[in-house]
Amino acid sequence: DIQMTQSPSSVSASVGDRVTITCRASRDINTWVAWYQQKPGKAPKLLIYAASSLQSGVPSRFSGSGSGTDFTLTISSLQPEDFATYYCQEGNIFPYTFGQGTKVEVK
Amino acid sequence: QVQLQESGPGLVKPSETLSLTCSVLGGSVSSGSFYWSWIRQPPGKGLEWIGFIYSNGGTKYNPSLKSRLTISVDTSKNHFFLKLSSMTAADTAVYYCARGDLTVADDWGQGTLVTVSS
């Protein structure tokens, strides 16, 4: 299985901050990466697919980049509703695996 | 907008078989190029992709679960199903059904907590 290593595991931030989360794959996965947001007690929500494509309806403050083994999710200006846990997911080789998650907390 | 809803027992005894149903509204399990997935999340932990079934009935299973797992579909009821045998405490999790393309899950059910305990 491909291992997806996310960092940091948590980040404390304030509204308006720029937040960057990284994910490293254990092997080259081209651009087969997705990012999800999960709030407590809720199902994950797809934000980004194919490393940098914004899912329909997702605010443009979310962006993704990267290819190969290194990927980044950026929130350009953190909003109150963005405090949540974020997961990366590889879609190159099944079983698709997820990163361990990054919790974005209030500073 | 498709809606997915999981249903099944909240409590399963060790060694028993878990059976879950995902009811699909606003979309057909037999049309389009969609993959219908099961994904689980142990309490307080990360996500694990269990497997999926394609609209033509083809399946793909996580090798770690393959010997215990069956995913099937009933097109007449617009449902798809998960059966996981020989349940243990390690299988305690929130189980989600989801729809997506081959590589991502776009739309998710709300999830159902399954606890394995005697």
Side-chain angles (χ1 to χ4, degrees):
Chain A
D1 299 1
I2 294 174
Q3 306 305 313
M4 301 294 284
T5 304
Q6 258 182 265
S7 61
S9 57
S10 65
V11 57
S12 297
S14 301
V15 172
D17 285 354
R18 182 182 183 89
V19 174
T20 299
I21 299 167
T22 64
C23 195
R24 173 163 288 178
S26 59
R27 54 188 281 186
D28 188 332
I29 57 171
N30 199 337
T31 57
W32 295 109
V33 161
W35 291 92
Y36 299 83
Q37 175 194 68
Q38 187 178 34
K39 296 182 178 179
K42 301 294 187 182
K45 173 188 175 183
L46 178 65
L47 301 175
I48 301 284
Y49 62 95
S52 61
S53 296
L54 194 67
Q55 175 70 349
S56 175
V58 174
S60 59
R61 62 181 180 272
F62 291 94
S63 64
S65 65
S67 67
T69 60
D70 294 314
F71 302 89
T72 299
L73 173 71
T74 299
I75 309 171
S76 61
S77 178
L78 196 68
Q79 297 302 300
E81 60 268 30
D82 300 337
F83 292 100
T85 300
Y86 295 83
Y87 293 94
C88 60
Q89 174 242 315
E90 68 86 8
N92 187 54
I93 295 177
F94 197 80
Y96 305 140
T97 54
F98 295 82
Q100 73 273 31
T102 296
K103 188 173 184 179
V104 177
E105 301 174 303
V106 177
K107 189 172 185 178
Chain B
Q1 178 75 12
V2 70
Q3 294 182 44
L4 301 99
Q5 176 70 57
E6 305 88 352
S7 59
L11 181 65
V12 175
K13 289 183 169 57
S15 80
E16 291 188 341
T17 295
L18 171 66
S19 294
L20 294 177
T21 298
C22 184
S23 303
V24 179
L25 299 174
S28 172
V29 295
S30 58
S31 66
S33 300
F34 292 115
Y35 293 76
W36 305 90
S37 293
W38 289 98
I39 297 166
R40 69 181 181 179
Q41 184 172 36
K45 296 187 178 180
L47 297 152
E48 179 182 31
W49 208 302
I50 298 170
F52 58 74
I53 188 164
Y54 186 49
S55 53
N56 68 0
T59 55
K60 194 79 168 177
Y61 296 158
N62 190 318
S64 69
L65 300 168
K66 188 174 183 178
S67 63
R68 303 191 287 132
L69 179 62
T70 302
I71 297 175
S72 59
V73 65
D74 183 336
T75 56
S76 66
K77 294 183 177 179
N78 217 32
H79 296 168
F80 65 105
F81 308 96
L82 173 145
K83 286 190 186 296
L84 188 63
S85 64
S86 304
M87 293 283 283
T88 72
D91 296 310
T92 293
V94 175
Y95 285 75
Y96 296 100
C97 60
R99 185 188 79 166
D101 66 14
L102 178 58
T103 64
V104 297
D106 299 58
D107 298 291
W108 297 61
Q110 65 185 28
T112 186
L113 174 64
V114 176
T115 301
V116 182
S117 175
S118 55

